[in-house]
Amino acid sequence: MAPSKKMTFSRRSFLKSSALASGGMIIGFNLFNACKPEAKLPVDLSALNYNDFNAFIKISEEGKVTIFSPNPEIGQGVKTSMPMIIAEELDVLWEDVYVVQAPLDTKNYTRQVAGGSQSIRFGWEPLRQTGATAKQMLVNAAAARWGVDASECSAKNGVITNAKGDKLGYGDVVLEAAGLEVPEDVTLKDPKDFTIIGQGKGNVDIDKIITGKPLYGLDYKEEGMLYATVLRPPAFGQILESFDDSEARALPGVVDVITIGEKVRAYNDSGKNSWTMPMSGTDKVVVIGKTTWDAMKGKKAIKAVWKTETALESSEIHDKVLLDLLEGNKFNTRRQDGNVKQAFANADKVLERVYESPFLPHNCMEPMNFFANVSPEKVRLVGPVQTPEAAAQVVADLLERDLEDVSIDMTRMGGGFGRRLYGDFVYEAAEISNAIQKPIKLVSSREDDMTMGVYRPSSKYKISASIKSGKITGYHLKEASINGNMYGLIPNFFPAGAIENYQVDTANYKSNITTGAWRAPYTNFLASAEQSFFDELAEELGVDRVQMHMDLLDNVKNNPDANIEYSPERLQGVLQLAIEKSNWGKTEVGVFQGLSVYYCHNTHVAEVADITMEDGVPSVKRVTCAVDCGIVVNPFGAMNQIKGGVLDGIGHAMYADFGFVDGVPKSNNFDSYQMIRMGQTPQVDVHFIESDIDPTGLGEPTLPPIGAAVANAIYAATGNRINKQPLINNLEPKEKVLG
Amino acid sequence: MPTFNLKVNNEKHTVEADADTPLLWVLRDKINLVGTKFGCGIGQCGACTVHVDGNATRSCLLKISQAEGANITTIEGLSEYGDHPVQQAWKEVDVPQCGYCQAGQIMTASAFLKTNPSPSQTEIRDAMHGNICRCAAYNSIEEAVKVASEKLS
């Protein structure tokens, strides 16, 4: 998921334009690959080719603009913000722009997934180029008609004006423009001239959302569609032995009971599969019903016998193995500066702490579901998935079909948070429909959704720092996690580069419990651990924690390193802004503050949490969040992502308690698993660093720092350092260790 | 299978279903009103909130046999043109992220504001506490309820 540092684009070779048979002009572009020279644009909208072009702009003869937004929408706002970037450079009124989710083509499409907060960062330059190129072609067409030089013409809000003051609308010249050469070089706007970017634009689906129109996967229906529920083993490590479906079959709404699993197992055995699939080693019992309720009722009537195939793991075991790993020597060293060992040997004092986090389910509000209609002619799939192209490929392999036979249409997603990166529910839907050769909708109950997870793995960190003559001389971070470790450039995030002797080591334990990406993978807890540690370290050193960070970041400036992609100046900037806006250190009596500063997903963030204690329980009253994401494309969407990330982070750090007993998830619905609710939420005050630097993403980076800001505030209030999440379960101080 | 007569959004529907079928699934699968969302099935999240005789009610817990004779309003019937003050406020504040829970939030807010058109901040937070938003758009929901109350008073 780590992005390359430099993004270069063949200036405009990713663009093609054509006149449409239905009137108007279409411009196709490819965000991530330059188009092949032989690539041809369709003249019929139904033939949009997502192989060569993954997004399109249509300009009608009435001057209306339709933008086929290329990226999956999971609530992160790209269906609004990416078209805004095009509309800005195209220079049309936002009111004249209509945005539709681009459908998927079956043939080898190239496409960005929703993940890693990278859509805006990658899309910024090519989206601007696209809009500006289209505008230049329209201006060139108008200039040709007037017989004047294009440089004498200007365009604004969809109208082209020449030196004499004659005017032509974009719609008036689209047909001529479509026949022109695509210009080699175009001028992009100066950010100070932006009229759409930087202005708050509402969610483009708002009217449908507030009136309850069908939008989501669960809302999708076709004539003759049946509903399918899947009975999976209650515990990770178990498989199906036998089942009795006689009661289920006797129900009037139950159409059929089948088993699936064979195709997924064969696919796994083939060695082709690189995707995580929960409970993929077992047969599963599928109940097909006339309605969702029929299928759910039928599933409850199945009497299944399960047998244990692999170890049934409990959280107690995970806690022990992870702590053992931290104390052991089975590490991969991921970054090493100087000599940590020596620094620790020479230290006056060493501070060492262990930080612990639980597994987490994603709990998207819309439970996992997918529509599949498998017939001898084709495989039609419709629903919410963050990785459509990978899912199509897996389904083709699974059913031994040509990829050309498989199509996926995306619906709006009722949340993603990483869960919909994994297409297990797509494969199940395909296997079910393949077995009965009928259109079906796979539906999950909340219990299914929470217990068939691809969970955020439980992780533990041991952080040690050596202190010599009042200075931090060494920093050693050890990670023990399950089924994987921090990836990409994370070992190079702050405080890498700030401390002379620095080392990051990782170790992991293989579990049969499926784990994967969860909003801000790894950093979602790593930031809590490190920023809690620095709070304690500042106290140990007897220095101001703000000044300590400023000094550490100064060290980074003098230490150029190509692997360090965070900017010490920008982290200092957000830190100062958060301090200033939060009235740091000047709160009223009874209010306690905690600070956290972090960089991830290319965005720099500092947060201050203000808490009060009510009957011994912390209540977060306000969060001040300072963000440097470069240019803010859509302030409305940005605010939503930032505030949502902070509150989501508070909820999970404070309350989220999840784990396993003998392979069985401890919770399976919202009565036994606490999600943050309105009464527990503070107001989040957001402050942006004003910037004309290219924008970066906001879907994830405000979540990781908040756990430490809250824990540090709890320390300020109570004198207790809570190094284990959920914080609310660990409020009581542990036994004091004397000496 | 028994037959039930329902009045939903001022229209009469005759539905064949098991007596224990939750209203939620009748609305979604039988009457084709999919604006009411499934979230948890146990009345904990509020995504399925509808109005039953004007009261905010979890449609996942109400059996069809209990819904006969009542005036049921779903998000689709809250206003004819999507311009109920609460819907307008949701649009002005640009509340939704993924948007999935918002129909339930809007139905809870609109029933609440009917009984308390000028609520305090604490009353808003208490009234909305039963509705989970996984995207945690809570600041915006709170603001939108306030904006709607200003429109109503």
Side-chain angles (χ1 to χ4, degrees), chain A residues 277-358:
Chain A
M277 300 180 190
M279 312 222 165
S280 60
T282 177
D283 275 347
K284 300 162 188 173
V285 185
V286 180
V287 178
I288 315 285
K290 289 179 191 160
T291 67
T292 312
W293 183 245
D294 291 328
M296 286 180 167
K297 246 177 114 168
K299 192 176 91 164
K300 286 199 179 108
I302 300 284
K303 292 188 173 61
V305 179
W306 311 96
K307 68 177 176 191
T308 299
E309 177 87 344
T310 54
L312 304 181
E313 299 184 7
S314 297
S315 295
E316 272 178 26
I317 296 168
H318 296 137
D319 282 344
K320 187 177 179 312
V321 296
L322 293 181
L323 289 172
D324 285 350
L325 279 175
L326 287 179
E327 296 306 320
N329 53 12
K330 290 179 190 154
F331 287 105
N332 283 325
T333 295
R334 306 286 299 277
R335 183 181 167 107
Q336 191 170 20
D337 300 342
N339 187 333
V340 165
K341 215 174 186 177
Q342 199 163 8
F344 280 78
N346 296 338
D348 299 332
K349 190 170 172 106
V350 169
L351 184 71
E352 184 175 285
R353 292 289 178 266
V354 172
Y355 298 86
E356 302 175 76
S357 68

XYZ file of all heavy atoms in Angstrom, chain A residues 277-358:
643
model
N -9.101 -15.122 3.396
C -10.515 -15.499 3.372
C -10.857 -16.160 4.693
O -10.327 -17.227 4.993
C -10.770 -16.515 2.261
C -10.433 -16.046 0.874
S -10.813 -17.388 -0.288
C -10.076 -16.735 -1.775
N -11.724 -15.566 5.478
C -12.069 -16.184 6.749
C -12.792 -17.506 6.551
O -13.631 -17.631 5.664
C -12.980 -15.154 7.430
C -13.422 -14.232 6.361
C -12.396 -14.273 5.282
N -12.455 -18.489 7.369
C -13.131 -19.785 7.386
C -13.185 -20.422 5.998
O -14.229 -20.895 5.549
C -14.545 -19.618 7.915
C -14.562 -18.798 9.202
S -15.668 -19.472 10.420
C -15.171 -18.649 11.899
N -12.049 -20.413 5.304
C -12.052 -20.920 3.932
C -11.708 -22.406 3.867
O -11.742 -22.994 2.800
C -11.069 -20.128 3.076
O -9.767 -20.235 3.600
N -11.395 -23.028 5.009
C -11.002 -24.434 4.974
C -12.149 -25.404 5.204
O -11.947 -26.607 5.273
N -13.351 -24.874 5.316
C -14.474 -25.725 5.708
C -15.611 -25.645 4.692
O -15.711 -24.671 3.944
C -15.026 -25.278 7.081
O -16.171 -26.077 7.399
C -15.443 -23.826 7.074
N -16.459 -26.658 4.711
C -17.737 -26.534 4.029
C -18.633 -25.623 4.856
O -18.514 -25.580 6.079
C -18.398 -27.903 3.887
C -17.900 -28.649 2.662
O -17.242 -28.013 1.808
O -18.156 -29.869 2.564
N -19.535 -24.925 4.169
C -20.483 -24.048 4.852
C -21.882 -24.422 4.377
O -22.059 -24.797 3.213
C -20.179 -22.587 4.510
C -18.789 -22.153 4.925
C -18.352 -20.877 4.218
C -16.884 -20.589 4.499
N -16.401 -19.449 3.696
N -22.830 -24.310 5.278
C -24.209 -24.645 4.926
C -24.911 -23.358 4.482
O -24.859 -22.346 5.177
C -24.966 -25.259 6.120
C -26.358 -25.711 5.688
C -24.171 -26.417 6.705
N -25.540 -23.422 3.312
C -26.196 -22.236 2.764
C -27.699 -22.485 2.698
O -28.144 -23.501 2.161
C -25.678 -21.925 1.353
C -26.363 -20.685 0.790
C -24.163 -21.745 1.365
N -28.451 -21.554 3.249
C -29.908 -21.635 3.166
C -30.389 -20.603 2.158
O -30.062 -19.414 2.272
C -30.567 -21.403 4.545
C -32.087 -21.446 4.423
C -30.071 -22.437 5.543
N -31.143 -21.076 1.170
C -31.678 -20.175 0.160
C -33.148 -19.916 0.512
O -33.931 -20.872 0.651
C -31.626 -20.812 -1.254
C -30.266 -21.481 -1.514
C -31.999 -19.805 -2.329
C -29.136 -20.575 -1.790
N -33.493 -18.637 0.662
C -34.865 -18.300 1.034
C -35.488 -17.335 0.052
O -34.796 -16.708 -0.754
N -36.823 -17.219 0.165
C -37.532 -16.290 -0.729
C -37.297 -14.845 -0.320
O -37.351 -13.936 -1.136
C -39.032 -16.591 -0.682
C -39.415 -17.905 -1.361
C -40.914 -18.118 -1.236
C -41.295 -19.528 -1.664
N -42.616 -19.910 -1.121
N -37.118 -14.636 0.991
C -36.817 -13.289 1.490
C -35.627 -13.401 2.436
O -35.221 -14.502 2.819
C -38.003 -12.694 2.284
O -38.172 -13.465 3.480
C -39.300 -12.712 1.482
N -35.118 -12.235 2.846
C -34.001 -12.231 3.805
C -34.407 -12.954 5.085
O -33.649 -13.771 5.618
C -33.602 -10.781 4.149
O -33.466 -10.051 2.931
C -32.313 -10.732 4.930
N -35.614 -12.645 5.561
C -36.072 -13.250 6.818
C -36.216 -14.765 6.683
O -35.852 -15.510 7.585
C -37.392 -12.592 7.247
C -37.906 -13.096 8.564
C -39.043 -13.800 8.787
C -37.283 -12.929 9.845
N -39.190 -14.085 10.119
C -38.117 -13.567 10.796
C -36.095 -12.322 10.277
C -37.813 -13.604 12.158
C -35.796 -12.361 11.624
C -36.634 -12.994 12.549
N -36.727 -15.206 5.549
C -36.850 -16.649 5.320
C -35.474 -17.321 5.411
O -35.320 -18.376 6.021
C -37.439 -16.936 3.931
C -38.906 -16.538 3.820
O -39.624 -16.625 4.830
O -39.326 -16.129 2.713
N -34.495 -16.700 4.789
C -33.153 -17.290 4.784
C -32.530 -17.250 6.169
O -31.831 -18.180 6.586
C -32.269 -16.560 3.771
N -32.793 -16.169 6.909
C -32.243 -16.061 8.270
C -32.896 -17.081 9.205
O -32.230 -17.712 10.026
C -32.453 -14.642 8.818
C -31.524 -13.608 8.203
S -31.833 -11.966 8.899
C -30.368 -11.090 8.308
N -34.211 -17.209 9.067
C -34.939 -18.173 9.896
C -34.485 -19.604 9.584
O -34.289 -20.426 10.486
C -36.442 -18.060 9.604
C -37.245 -17.554 10.767
C -38.698 -17.401 10.357
C -39.576 -18.382 11.099
N -41.006 -18.069 10.929
N -34.329 -19.862 8.305
C -33.890 -21.189 7.874
C -32.529 -21.531 8.444
O -32.273 -22.663 8.876
N -31.648 -20.552 8.459
C -30.300 -20.809 8.980
C -30.355 -21.201 10.450
O -29.637 -22.108 10.894
C -29.420 -19.564 8.803
C -27.950 -19.858 9.057
C -27.065 -18.679 8.791
C -26.880 -17.866 10.035
N -25.771 -16.933 9.948
N -31.229 -20.541 11.208
C -31.344 -20.859 12.648
C -31.852 -22.283 12.857
O -31.632 -22.884 13.906
C -32.283 -19.859 13.326
C -31.645 -18.488 13.502
C -32.379 -17.660 14.559
C -31.720 -16.303 14.741
N -32.491 -15.202 14.191
N -32.562 -22.818 11.856
C -33.156 -24.163 11.999
C -32.200 -25.287 11.597
O -32.527 -26.466 11.736
C -34.437 -24.238 11.163
N -31.030 -24.920 11.093
C -30.045 -25.956 10.720
C -29.373 -26.493 11.987
O -28.966 -25.710 12.848
C -28.937 -25.361 9.798
C -29.539 -24.801 8.515
C -27.839 -26.385 9.523
C -29.936 -25.827 7.492
N -29.263 -27.788 12.072
C -28.528 -28.376 13.207
C -27.206 -28.916 12.653
O -27.191 -29.921 11.944
C -29.342 -29.502 13.845
C -30.592 -28.962 14.538
C -31.304 -30.044 15.330
C -32.435 -29.459 16.143
N -33.469 -28.799 15.280
N -26.135 -28.220 12.998
C -24.835 -28.601 12.439
C -23.935 -29.164 13.524
O -24.025 -28.779 14.689
C -24.173 -27.394 11.795
N -23.085 -30.080 13.125
C -22.062 -30.626 14.026
C -20.711 -30.184 13.467
O -20.437 -30.358 12.279
C -22.149 -32.165 14.093
C -21.062 -32.724 15.010
C -23.530 -32.588 14.572
N -19.893 -29.633 14.339
C -18.585 -29.110 13.912
C -17.488 -29.939 14.539
O -17.664 -30.485 15.625
C -18.441 -27.643 14.336
C -19.621 -26.804 13.956
C -20.682 -26.481 14.751
C -19.874 -26.223 12.682
N -21.587 -25.726 14.050
C -21.125 -25.535 12.775
C -19.196 -26.187 11.450
C -21.678 -24.850 11.708
C -19.761 -25.491 10.393
C -20.991 -24.840 10.519
N -16.384 -30.025 13.889
C -15.245 -30.700 14.529
C -14.011 -29.810 14.457
O -13.886 -28.957 13.573
C -14.999 -32.064 13.889
C -14.512 -32.016 12.463
C -14.241 -33.420 11.954
C -13.854 -33.361 10.473
N -13.833 -34.661 9.850
N -13.140 -30.032 15.410
C -11.961 -29.177 15.511
C -10.867 -29.690 14.587
O -10.497 -30.860 14.643
C -11.471 -29.138 16.973
O -12.521 -28.590 17.760
C -10.230 -28.285 17.116
N -10.393 -28.808 13.753
C -9.396 -29.177 12.741
C -8.006 -28.653 13.130
O -7.020 -29.341 13.024
C -9.833 -28.575 11.391
C -8.887 -28.799 10.256
C -9.120 -30.117 9.536
O -9.821 -30.981 10.101
O -8.600 -30.273 8.422
N -7.991 -27.393 13.568
C -6.727 -26.804 14.034
C -6.988 -26.191 15.406
O -8.129 -26.116 15.851
C -6.225 -25.719 13.054
O -7.267 -24.762 12.846
C -5.811 -26.326 11.721
N -5.935 -25.729 16.059
C -6.043 -25.264 17.449
C -7.109 -24.184 17.609
O -7.253 -23.303 16.760
C -4.697 -24.722 17.900
N -7.859 -24.259 18.710
C -8.845 -23.228 19.031
C -8.148 -22.202 19.923
O -7.840 -22.486 21.076
C -10.049 -23.854 19.741
C -10.751 -24.986 18.983
C -11.936 -25.510 19.786
C -11.196 -24.525 17.594
N -7.909 -21.031 19.374
C -7.064 -20.062 20.072
C -7.892 -19.104 20.921
O -8.981 -18.715 20.542
C -6.232 -19.286 19.048
C -5.315 -20.195 18.250
C -4.421 -19.424 17.290
O -4.426 -18.178 17.333
O -3.729 -20.077 16.500
N -7.306 -18.726 22.049
C -7.951 -17.772 22.951
C -7.067 -16.541 23.088
O -5.856 -16.600 22.890
C -8.168 -18.397 24.327
O -9.037 -19.494 24.222
N -7.696 -15.429 23.498
C -6.929 -14.189 23.684
C -5.838 -14.356 24.727
O -4.781 -13.741 24.626
C -7.874 -13.051 24.073
O -8.741 -12.804 22.995
N -6.108 -15.165 25.728
C -5.080 -15.425 26.754
C -3.806 -15.972 26.114
O -2.697 -15.621 26.501
C -5.589 -16.477 27.737
C -6.371 -15.924 28.884
C -6.887 -17.031 29.795
O -6.265 -18.115 29.832
O -7.919 -16.805 30.435
N -4.014 -16.894 25.152
C -2.858 -17.483 24.461
C -2.150 -16.406 23.641
O -0.920 -16.299 23.665
C -3.318 -18.641 23.539
C -3.924 -19.759 24.381
C -2.166 -19.148 22.673
C -4.668 -20.810 23.581
N -2.942 -15.595 22.932
C -2.320 -14.532 22.116
C -1.509 -13.586 22.988
O -0.409 -13.184 22.629
C -3.393 -13.753 21.355
C -4.125 -14.590 20.357
N -5.479 -14.543 20.191
C -3.685 -15.523 19.478
C -5.845 -15.404 19.263
N -4.772 -16.004 18.807
N -2.088 -13.214 24.150
C -1.365 -12.305 25.046
C -0.017 -12.913 25.430
O 1.008 -12.234 25.424
C -2.185 -12.043 26.322
C -3.304 -11.037 26.059
O -3.243 -10.347 25.022
O -4.235 -10.955 26.876
N -0.056 -14.185 25.740
C 1.178 -14.827 26.187
C 2.201 -14.922 25.049
O 3.366 -14.574 25.234
C 0.861 -16.222 26.737
C 2.081 -16.860 27.373
C 1.780 -18.203 27.999
C 3.030 -18.822 28.605
N 4.213 -18.812 27.746
N 1.747 -15.377 23.873
C 2.740 -15.557 22.796
C 3.310 -14.214 22.342
O 4.498 -14.121 22.017
C 2.199 -16.343 21.575
C 1.846 -17.768 21.949
C 1.041 -15.665 20.903
N 2.479 -13.174 22.355
C 2.994 -11.869 21.913
C 3.999 -11.319 22.930
O 5.034 -10.769 22.545
C 1.842 -10.882 21.686
C 0.909 -11.211 20.507
C -0.188 -10.155 20.367
C 1.675 -11.335 19.184
N 3.694 -11.474 24.205
C 4.651 -11.018 25.231
C 5.948 -11.829 25.153
O 7.041 -11.280 25.270
C 4.034 -11.116 26.636
C 2.934 -10.085 26.926
C 2.242 -10.390 28.257
C 3.482 -8.653 26.925
N 5.806 -13.142 24.904
C 7.003 -13.986 24.749
C 7.827 -13.530 23.542
O 9.058 -13.502 23.604
C 6.608 -15.460 24.574
C 6.148 -16.094 25.894
O 6.319 -15.449 26.949
O 5.596 -17.211 25.855
N 7.133 -13.206 22.460
C 7.859 -12.733 21.267
C 8.641 -11.468 21.574
O 9.781 -11.304 21.137
C 6.878 -12.455 20.119
C 6.406 -13.644 19.290
C 5.342 -13.199 18.291
C 7.570 -14.312 18.555
N 8.024 -10.557 22.349
C 8.707 -9.300 22.683
C 9.966 -9.553 23.511
O 10.931 -8.802 23.442
C 7.768 -8.360 23.456
C 6.648 -7.697 22.649
C 5.792 -6.820 23.562
C 7.198 -6.867 21.486
N 9.929 -10.616 24.307
C 11.087 -10.936 25.143
C 12.093 -11.842 24.424
O 13.186 -12.081 24.938
C 10.632 -11.636 26.442
C 9.763 -10.768 27.345
C 10.419 -9.440 27.682
O 11.635 -9.419 27.923
O 9.704 -8.420 27.682
N 11.706 -12.349 23.278
C 12.547 -13.327 22.581
C 13.541 -12.695 21.621
O 13.872 -11.512 21.738
N 13.993 -13.502 20.670
C 15.001 -12.971 19.736
C 14.673 -13.302 18.278
O 15.547 -13.349 17.423
C 16.400 -13.483 20.119
C 16.410 -14.999 20.227
O 15.451 -15.653 19.802
N 17.468 -15.556 20.781
N 13.385 -13.561 18.008
C 12.998 -13.885 16.629
C 12.499 -12.644 15.902
O 11.336 -12.564 15.501
C 11.894 -14.945 16.642
C 12.378 -16.310 17.092
C 11.223 -17.285 17.102
C 11.620 -18.579 17.782
N 10.479 -19.263 18.357
N 13.364 -11.667 15.771
C 12.939 -10.401 15.174
C 13.521 -10.196 13.785
O 14.611 -10.686 13.478
C 13.409 -9.231 16.050
C 12.638 -9.101 17.328
C 13.195 -9.484 18.534
C 11.348 -8.581 17.325
C 12.487 -9.355 19.720
C 10.630 -8.444 18.502
C 11.203 -8.842 19.703
N 12.771 -9.461 12.970
C 13.335 -8.878 11.749
C 13.651 -7.430 12.058
O 12.771 -6.704 12.545
C 12.312 -8.893 10.608
C 12.184 -10.260 10.011
O 13.158 -10.992 9.916
N 10.968 -10.602 9.633
N 14.841 -7.019 11.757
C 15.179 -5.615 11.980
C 14.753 -4.817 10.759
O 15.129 -5.137 9.633
C 16.681 -5.464 12.265
O 16.953 -6.138 13.487
C 17.075 -3.993 12.399
N 13.952 -3.808 10.985
C 13.325 -3.078 9.880
C 13.977 -1.717 9.639
O 13.830 -1.133 8.584
C 11.839 -2.924 10.166
C 11.127 -4.257 10.453
C 10.947 -5.060 9.181
N 10.132 -4.295 8.282
C 8.795 -4.266 8.321
N 8.157 -5.012 9.198
N 8.112 -3.527 7.477
N 14.609 -1.190 10.649
C 15.421 0.010 10.460
C 16.426 0.047 11.606
O 16.094 -0.288 12.736
C 14.558 1.285 10.473
C 15.392 2.550 10.200
C 14.585 3.838 10.223
N 15.489 4.967 10.272
C 15.736 5.789 9.250
N 15.096 5.639 8.104
N 16.605 6.777 9.371
N 17.611 0.468 11.262
C 18.668 0.489 12.266
C 19.563 1.687 11.999
O 20.149 1.799 10.932
C 19.484 -0.807 12.155
C 20.428 -1.033 13.300
C 21.029 -2.432 13.253
O 21.040 -3.087 12.210
N 21.541 -2.886 14.373
N 19.630 2.588 12.959
C 20.538 3.734 12.879
C 21.482 3.655 14.071
O 21.019 3.420 15.196
C 19.775 5.063 12.983
C 18.755 5.258 11.878
O 18.843 4.557 10.852
O 17.860 6.109 12.047
N 22.742 3.889 13.841
C 23.703 3.905 14.942
C 23.794 2.554 15.627
O 23.648 1.511 14.991
N 23.950 2.581 16.922
C 24.114 1.348 17.679
C 23.294 1.432 18.968
O 23.710 2.017 19.958
C 25.608 1.143 17.990
C 25.865 -0.214 18.620
O 24.993 -0.792 19.259
N 27.073 -0.718 18.434
N 22.112 0.874 18.883
C 21.180 0.953 20.006
C 21.757 0.234 21.230
O 21.671 0.714 22.354
C 19.818 0.361 19.603
C 18.957 0.101 20.820
C 19.104 1.295 18.644
N 22.347 -0.927 20.981
C 22.881 -1.741 22.070
C 23.874 -0.942 22.913
O 23.812 -0.933 24.143
C 23.574 -2.969 21.465
C 23.427 -4.224 22.290
C 24.025 -5.398 21.528
C 23.766 -6.677 22.264
N 24.276 -7.828 21.511
N 24.744 -0.273 22.199
C 25.782 0.502 22.887
C 25.166 1.683 23.647
O 25.552 1.964 24.779
C 26.782 1.002 21.854
C 28.090 1.397 22.494
C 29.200 1.491 21.461
O 28.966 1.408 20.240
N 30.402 1.672 21.939
N 24.200 2.317 23.002
C 23.564 3.459 23.657
C 22.917 3.022 24.974
O 22.991 3.731 25.977
C 22.514 4.077 22.724
N 22.277 1.846 24.937
C 21.633 1.355 26.159
C 22.674 0.957 27.214
O 22.471 1.180 28.404
C 20.683 0.195 25.846
C 19.358 0.669 25.306
C 19.229 1.081 23.988
C 18.245 0.742 26.122
C 18.022 1.547 23.490
C 17.034 1.216 25.638
C 16.926 1.619 24.314
N 23.788 0.393 26.751
C 24.842 -0.009 27.692
C 25.442 1.202 28.397
O 25.803 1.128 29.575
C 25.922 -0.791 26.949
N 25.492 2.320 27.664
C 26.129 3.515 28.230
C 25.143 4.442 28.939
O 25.522 5.527 29.383
C 26.809 4.325 27.116
C 27.950 3.536 26.488
O 28.486 2.615 27.113
N 28.294 3.880 25.253
N 23.872 4.022 29.005
C 22.847 4.965 29.485
C 22.913 5.181 30.987
O 23.310 4.290 31.745
C 21.467 4.419 29.120
N 22.487 6.401 31.403
C 22.292 6.651 32.833
C 21.019 5.964 33.291
O 20.891 5.521 34.414
C 22.130 8.160 33.106
C 23.351 8.952 32.679
O 24.442 8.375 32.688
O 23.187 10.145 32.320
N 20.056 5.949 32.358
C 18.741 5.408 32.722
C 18.060 4.889 31.456
O 18.269 5.419 30.364
C 17.901 6.541 33.326
C 16.631 6.042 33.961
C 15.923 7.121 34.758
C 14.592 6.533 35.157
N 14.380 6.141 36.457
N 17.279 3.842 31.645
C 16.516 3.304 30.509
C 15.033 3.287 30.895
O 14.678 2.833 31.985
C 16.984 1.868 30.165
C 16.021 1.218 29.171
C 18.402 1.889 29.599
N 14.195 3.819 30.012
C 12.743 3.732 30.212
C 12.219 2.672 29.262
O 12.519 2.696 28.062
C 12.085 5.090 29.918
C 10.575 5.160 30.176
C 10.268 5.132 31.668
C 9.974 6.417 29.547
N 11.425 1.750 29.797
C 10.955 0.638 28.976
C 9.485 0.384 29.296
O 9.118 0.258 30.465
C 11.794 -0.596 29.311
C 11.492 -1.802 28.461
C 12.450 -2.941 28.792
O 13.618 -2.868 28.367
O 12.044 -3.868 29.505
N 8.643 0.344 28.282
C 7.207 0.145 28.503
C 6.642 -0.803 27.454
O 7.120 -0.830 26.314
C 6.461 1.473 28.405
C 6.763 2.457 29.523
C 6.170 2.001 30.850
N 6.494 2.923 31.936
C 7.538 2.802 32.766
N 8.382 1.794 32.617
N 7.737 3.675 33.726
N 5.587 -1.519 27.850
C 4.887 -2.410 26.911
C 3.470 -1.874 26.700
O 2.819 -1.457 27.661
C 4.848 -3.856 27.454
C 3.944 -4.736 26.583
C 6.259 -4.434 27.495
N 3.040 -1.865 25.438
C 1.708 -1.350 25.070
C 0.930 -2.462 24.390
O 1.487 -3.196 23.569
C 1.850 -0.141 24.137
C 2.577 0.996 24.817
C 3.969 1.066 24.811
C 1.868 1.978 25.505
C 4.642 2.085 25.468
C 2.536 3.007 26.166
C 3.919 3.055 26.151
O 4.568 4.061 26.815
N -0.364 -2.570 24.722
C -1.133 -3.728 24.252
C -2.482 -3.317 23.649
O -3.156 -2.437 24.181
C -1.391 -4.675 25.432
C -0.118 -5.154 26.105
C -0.413 -5.987 27.333
O -0.797 -7.155 27.180
O -0.277 -5.445 28.459
N -2.841 -3.992 22.569
C -4.126 -3.690 21.918
C -4.851 -4.979 21.563
O -4.215 -5.999 21.304
C -3.887 -2.886 20.646
O -3.245 -3.698 19.679
N -6.189 -4.938 21.545
C -6.964 -6.140 21.211
C -7.207 -6.281 19.705
O -6.926 -5.365 18.930
C -8.297 -5.877 21.915
C -8.453 -4.392 21.840
C -7.065 -3.813 21.913
